[in-house]
Amino acid sequence: MKKKKELQPAASPNFTTTEYEEALQKETQKQQYRRGVYTTLVVMVVAAAICVLVASLLLPVLRIHGSSMQPTVEEQDIVVSLKKRNYQPGDIVALYFENRILVKRIVAVEFDTVDLTQDGTFLINGQPLEEPYISAPHYGEATNLTFPYQVPEDCYFVAGDNRKESVDSRSTEVGAIPTDDIVGTIRLIVWPLNRFGALQ
């Protein structure tokens, strides 16, 4: 009687060889690299989106058109504005007016009484307004508002530093500016480089 052959288990592949470990390590490194690249791209996209959002909502960048704010701001200057809640006399602001953005300086705030002398000097609540930022006072060629004038609630009285040519709150066409129409304060000239600097 023939002796039955005993079945031997098939040889198992050696999964712990150096070659396998190296291949596994390389594959792991590839996966980690892909994950790293993906994570970096996601972070960059999110960061760029946040920067655009912040720039458009909090730090609008504007190009100046016109000469109404000379000599403080010149035509074609590029400026950065900053949104805030409260504005004070002397602040330079960007504001919406008839689908345009104008740049003016706040002269008076709500409930102030504004008067204007024939030589163009502002009287705020009876006191002359000191304005070292203007070249010279001027009544204004577009001035037709009746003075004295009380600034309505939640509004600002604004004027351009170039008092002769500026069309501003001295004109009934513009009048007092509601708070909601103010884009923000102009804080910095960023272009041209020879005019780079903070505004006063």
Side-chain angles (χ1 to χ4, degrees):
M1 187 175 181
K2 291 182 179 180
K3 187 176 181 182
K4 292 182 179 180
K5 292 183 178 179
E6 293 183 3
L7 296 175
Q8 298 293 329
S12 301
N14 186 357
F15 290 106
T16 60
T17 62
T18 302
E19 292 82 358
Y20 178 80
E21 289 176 352
E22 290 176 353
L24 182 60
Q25 186 177 13
K26 288 180 180 179
E27 185 61 30
T28 301
Q29 289 174 346
K30 287 181 182 179
Q31 292 177 359
Q32 290 176 343
Y33 175 77
R34 292 191 194 102
R35 282 196 296 267
V37 170
Y38 176 78
T39 301
T40 301
L41 289 174
V42 170
V43 169
M44 290 175 64
V45 169
V46 172
I50 292 173
C51 288
V52 170
L53 185 63
V54 169
S56 60
L57 296 180
L58 299 179
L59 296 168
V61 176
L62 309 170
R63 182 184 293 274
I64 301 299
H65 297 282
S67 59
S68 70
M69 280 298 293
Q70 289 178 343
T72 307
V73 181
E74 300 285 349
E75 187 167 12
Q76 299 302 314
D77 281 354
I78 297 178
V79 298
V80 175
S81 65
L82 174 66
K83 286 185 175 291
K84 65 178 189 176
R85 293 187 178 182
N86 299 311
Y87 302 94
Q88 303 298 324
D91 285 350
I92 301 172
V93 296
L95 57 96
Y96 290 113
F97 177 71
E98 294 183 349
N99 297 320
R100 293 179 294 161
I101 293 182
L102 306 180
V103 175
K104 306 292 179 183
R105 189 184 295 271
I106 292 178
V107 171
V109 299
E110 60 180 357
F111 307 130
D112 280 347
T113 298
V114 181
D115 207 348
L116 188 63
T117 66
Q118 286 301 312
D119 71 352
T121 300
F122 277 115
L123 302 176
I124 308 299
N125 301 321
Q127 299 299 315
L129 182 64
E130 295 183 8
E131 299 188 283
Y133 39 78
I134 66 173
S135 297
H138 196 284
Y139 192 78
E141 296 180 351
T143 298
N144 61 0
L145 192 69
T146 300
F147 293 99
Y149 172 84
Q150 185 174 49
V151 183
E153 183 178 5
D154 203 27
C155 289
Y156 296 92
F157 194 98
V158 300
D161 287 358
N162 184 355
R163 293 293 160 77
K164 180 180 179 180
E165 297 183 13
S166 176
V167 178
D168 46 48
S169 293
R170 296 172 295 171
S171 167
T172 54
E173 180 185 353
V174 178
I177 303 299
T179 302
D180 289 345
D181 289 347
I182 295 182
V183 178
T185 55
I186 305 298
R187 293 298 185 88
L188 184 70
I189 296 177
V190 295
W191 188 264
L193 291 179
N194 63 347
R195 289 177 50 76
F196 180 89
L199 287 169
Q200 301 296 327

